[in-house]
Amino acid sequence: MNAAARYKEIAEVLRGEIASGVWAVGDKLPAEPELIQRFDASRTTVRQALAELRDAGLVRMRHGVGVFVASPRVVKRLDSRERLSRARWERNEGAFLAEAQDQGFTPSSNVKIWFEPAQDFAELFEIDETAELCVRDRVMTADGQPVMLSVSRYPREITRGTAVEEVDTGTGGVLARLDELGFERFSHEEIVGAKMPDANEKQALGLGRGPVLTIQRLTYSNGRLVEANDMVMPAESYELRYAWDAD
């Protein structure tokens, strides 16, 4: 195994132990000589592994004292009335990417697209079970750490042949493309929940123990459902924020 693969392997072991609670926030990790012996690795390799964890925000280093598990940085998810506003997408400020960047993170998004029969979503969209849906499956990361899984579905009778079916949807994102197609007067409903992650979610988000937050956002245009977006995010690294005016 080459040196790069070796330090990443060590970092992943320690990352998993932090995630599973072997090392809690504030705990001091074993000293370098202990890690060198444990992993049968060089000092340079161990230091690279610890630097990987530091760069991911999982540990903090105190010179001459040691390496400690850091409090998780939390991505604050803004009130949807702001994050999905026309003003924001007209400024090409994608909801997650813009808010994470504004909070000092380096965000990114990995997008996969496929098509599937409506089946379980047929009743929700009020279409036939065999009608096709366009699926946009995204993994959102902040500072290289996966913090959200987001799967959006759209009736293909709307998206076929449009930029909605492209990885890069262009300025303003999907809402702007739907607006150009004549859909307007958007309204959104969000259903928030919590659960224990399944195996695929644990792997994709790099989770140990602990729950995830779930949000299903339904987007309507003039009363017609045009998007169903199912999101999953680690409860420890995400904060949901909602605000409203009192009567």
Side-chain angles (χ1 to χ4, degrees):
M1 180 180 296
N2 62 43
R6 182 61 176 144
Y7 87 76
K8 287 185 177 295
E9 178 187 39
I10 295 171
E12 282 306 305
V13 171
L14 295 174
R15 185 195 299 270
E17 291 179 351
I18 292 170
S20 65
V22 173
W23 309 105
V25 172
D27 283 352
K28 183 180 178 180
L29 293 186
E32 281 185 6
E34 294 177 64
L35 295 175
I36 290 169
Q37 183 176 11
R38 174 186 174 185
F39 292 106
D40 190 22
S42 69
R43 183 179 300 274
T44 298
T45 299
V46 166
R47 287 183 173 178
Q48 286 177 312
L50 294 174
E52 179 101 344
L53 298 179
R54 177 201 60 204
D55 293 344
L58 296 176
V59 301
R60 53 187 175 85
M61 297 179 176
R62 295 174 57 189
H63 184 68
V65 180
V67 180
F68 297 83
V69 178
S71 298
R73 294 182 67 196
V74 175
V75 181
K76 294 179 174 63
R77 185 178 186 273
L78 303 180
D79 190 320
S80 292
R81 289 174 297 179
E82 177 182 346
R83 71 198 303 270
L84 296 174
S85 67
R86 175 180 290 270
R88 284 183 72 95
W89 51 263
E90 285 185 343
R91 295 195 304 267
N92 197 31
E93 295 180 354
F96 168 79
L97 297 178
E99 68 191 10
Q101 187 169 354
D102 288 347
Q103 294 167 42
F105 295 94
T106 299
S108 64
S109 175
N110 180 44
V111 183
K112 295 180 181 178
I113 297 172
W114 70 82
F115 310 105
E116 64 184 20
Q119 295 182 331
D120 293 342
F121 291 87
E123 184 176 356
L124 188 63
F125 281 103
E126 296 183 346
I127 57 179
D128 190 83
E129 290 185 359
T130 60
E132 274 195 312
L133 298 178
C134 170
V135 183
R136 295 181 60 85
D137 185 345
R138 289 151 292 169
V139 179
M140 311 294 200
T141 65
D143 292 346
Q145 180 68 25
V147 293
M148 183 194 296
L149 308 179
S150 178
V151 181
S152 292
R153 290 177 170 85
Y154 313 86
R156 278 207 83 193
E157 68 172 279
I158 293 174
T159 65
R160 192 184 307 273
T162 73
V164 178
E165 298 187 352
E166 302 293 334
V167 170
D168 183 357
T169 56
T171 302
V174 171
L175 287 180
R177 303 292 78 77
L178 293 176
D179 183 71
E180 292 168 354
L181 293 169
F183 295 94
E184 55 184 5
R185 297 180 60 82
F186 293 116
S187 62
H188 309 278
E189 177 185 10
E190 290 191 340
I191 304 162
V192 180
K195 65 170 190 171
M196 298 305 295
D198 62 29
N200 291 333
E201 291 164 345
K202 289 180 69 172
Q203 181 177 10
L205 291 169
L207 300 176
R209 293 177 294 183
V212 291
L213 300 173
T214 63
I215 300 177
Q216 183 179 64
R217 186 179 71 233
L218 305 177
T219 296
Y220 298 86
S221 171
N222 288 317
R224 176 185 179 180
L225 182 65
V226 293
E227 177 188 21
N229 184 4
D230 290 290
M231 294 164 270
V232 178
M233 56 209 76
E236 65 179 13
S237 61
Y238 233 93
E239 175 183 297
L240 308 182
R241 310 187 85 185
Y242 297 91
W244 60 89
D245 296 325
D247 293 334

